[in-house]
Amino acid sequence: MSGCEQPVLGLTTYLQQAQTGVWDVQASFLPAIYLQGVNLAGGTAVLLPPQQPDVADRVLDGLDGLIITGGRDVDPATYGQNRHPSTDEPAGSRDAWEFALVERALARQLPVLGICRGAQVLNVVLGGTLHQHLPDVLGHNRHQLGNAVFTTSAVVTVPGTRLAELIGETTDAQCYHHQGIDRLGRGLVVSALDGADRTIEAVELDPGAYPDQFALAVQWHPEERLDDLRLFGAVVEAARRYTHTRSVSRESVS
């Protein structure tokens, strides 16, 4: 990749019933604000609709980075639990697709950014579990008020993490999640907590054990604050470095 080329980042999408004009059909879609975040940070965005998991490696061959976006709850069967009454009906094709993408991306050290559901996917892929309904744990519903109303939470980063290096000690986060991370997956560390109730708001691969691998996931929605592109900028820059390193390795072999 030359210096003028933009890294290509794949973003996962919804697959559900959608209406547009006279049509009411199953559709793959993603709010445009995600694409804007990638573009404004200097990357090129491509959409990755749910499909057969066995094509994940072939798809990743064409990418420099991966973003697992927000959406429906992860099927609790994937982390050994029965479904809570408040948990969404399983979105099987999307779960299987994103699990395959994350597993293969981590294996090849492709940069990964998880957003809301994406943080939960990363944790579950690595063997972690989720709280299926945070109000049962916390006694309040402040993290998801409903009716598409985002709440602003002051999150506090953990010193020594990649996230703390990127955004500093604290930031205001736009939240809309009724689930949260419980037991951490293998190799992950907590990188941010809600400043008030200590809910886990971000995780990442342990920077001590994986200093050269970018895999970071936040429970909040950075795409809702495009005046702050630090997270999108970080994954775009990691994608640029990844592709440069891959190109150098190929040239040395040839």
Side-chain angles (χ1 to χ4, degrees):
M1 176 180 288
S2 68
C4 63
E5 290 180 320
Q6 293 185 329
V8 177
L9 287 92
L11 294 88
T12 57
T13 74
Y14 296 75
L15 181 61
Q16 61 193 65
Q17 204 73 13
Q19 293 182 328
T20 175
V22 298
W23 306 106
D24 185 357
V25 296
Q26 278 276 303
S28 174
F29 65 94
L30 187 71
I33 198 166
Y34 284 98
L35 314 183
Q36 293 166 11
V38 172
N39 294 160
L40 289 170
T44 297
V46 297
L47 299 184
L48 306 177
Q51 51 200 296
Q52 290 300 313
D54 59 4
V55 303
D57 266 316
R58 180 67 185 90
V59 169
L60 293 174
D61 284 343
L63 300 178
D64 307 312
L66 175 67
I67 298 177
I68 306 296
T69 62
R72 295 174 65 85
D73 299 332
V74 175
D75 183 354
T78 60
Y79 50 94
Q81 294 182 13
N82 295 322
R83 190 168 70 88
H84 187 282
S86 69
T87 298
D88 295 330
E89 290 284 348
S93 61
R94 183 174 181 185
D95 284 350
W97 174 235
E98 292 185 349
F99 277 39
L101 287 174
V102 170
E103 288 169 356
R104 299 311 306 152
L106 293 176
R108 60 174 69 196
Q109 299 188 4
L110 188 81
V112 176
L113 174 65
I115 294 175
C116 197
R117 168 188 160 92
Q120 297 164 7
V121 168
L122 177 64
N123 192 58
V124 173
V125 165
L126 292 174
T129 63
L130 306 177
H131 293 297
Q132 288 193 54
H133 195 52
L134 285 174
D136 290 350
V137 179
L138 303 174
H140 65 76
N141 67 344
R142 180 172 55 81
H143 292 282
Q144 187 186 81
L145 296 179
N147 296 317
V149 176
F150 286 86
T151 56
T152 301
S153 296
V155 300
V156 179
T157 58
V158 176
T161 59
R162 186 185 299 272
L163 183 64
E165 182 180 344
L166 288 173
I167 67 174
E169 294 181 2
T170 186
T171 191
D172 287 338
Q174 298 297 106
C175 292
Y176 197 83
H177 61 96
H178 81 106
Q179 298 195 338
I181 290 170
D182 183 9
R183 187 183 72 240
L184 282 179
R186 297 179 302 275
L188 293 177
V189 296
V190 174
S191 48
L193 298 163
D194 182 278
D197 62 30
R198 311 305 284 174
T199 297
I200 295 174
E201 288 290 346
V203 293
E204 62 186 68
L205 279 181
D206 184 348
Y210 305 92
D212 300 319
Q213 187 167 359
F214 185 100
L216 168 64
V218 297
Q219 191 65 80
W220 68 86
H221 286 267
E223 78 280 4
E224 292 295 321
R225 284 280 311 275
L226 293 183
D227 59 330
D228 182 353
L229 292 171
R230 288 176 292 181
L231 287 173
F232 284 109
V235 72
V236 167
E237 181 56 33
R240 184 176 287 113
R241 291 195 305 270
Y242 170 83
T243 302
H244 174 73
T245 301
R246 183 173 56 176
S247 298
V248 169
S249 298
R250 287 173 177 172
E251 290 173 1
S252 64
V253 171
S254 61

